[in-house]
Amino acid sequence: MGPCFNPRFEARVVTAMRVGVGFAAGTFKLWIRDGSVARYRLDLAGRLRVRPEAILMQQSSVTVLHHVGTTAFALTESLRRKLER
């Protein structure tokens, strides 16, 4: 966690459930900065039954949002005229 993330504004959700004969669990962590979502992390783990074997799986993803509200795009002149009507 870098200096721009305030640990007081973290939300964490932990859940676990049975899936057939396997097991699945996950955590979701959310970072808020200046009233907007700045980053989130999803960790998943589980055991799946495939035929006679149990397969352990684990997956993590982190998404960081940059420059929120500053999206820029170019319009063609003909489209610009249509929008100005």
Side-chain angles (χ1 to χ4, degrees), residues 25-39:
T27 61
F28 179 78
K29 192 172 185 180
L30 183 70
W31 286 266
I32 305 292
R33 181 177 49 202
D34 299 328
S36 297
V37 175
R39 173 174 142 177

Side-chain angles (χ1 to χ4, degrees), residues 31-70:
W31 286 266
I32 305 292
R33 181 177 49 202
D34 299 328
S36 297
V37 175
R39 173 174 142 177
Y40 60 89
R41 178 182 179 112
L42 179 62
D43 294 309
L44 301 172
R47 184 179 64 228
L48 307 171
R49 281 234 176 255
V50 179
R51 312 241 184 218
E53 295 183 30
I55 297 174
L56 297 176
M57 58 80 58
Q58 189 171 16
Q59 179 179 353
S60 295
S61 66
V62 176
T63 302
V64 180
L65 305 168
H66 296 281
H67 312 294
V68 175
T70 61

Side-chain angles (χ1 to χ4, degrees), residues 6-23:
N6 188 335
R8 291 180 297 155
F9 295 106
E10 290 182 12
R12 188 177 186 104
V13 177
V14 179
T15 186
M17 59 185 235
R18 287 292 219 190
V19 179
V21 291
F23 179 80

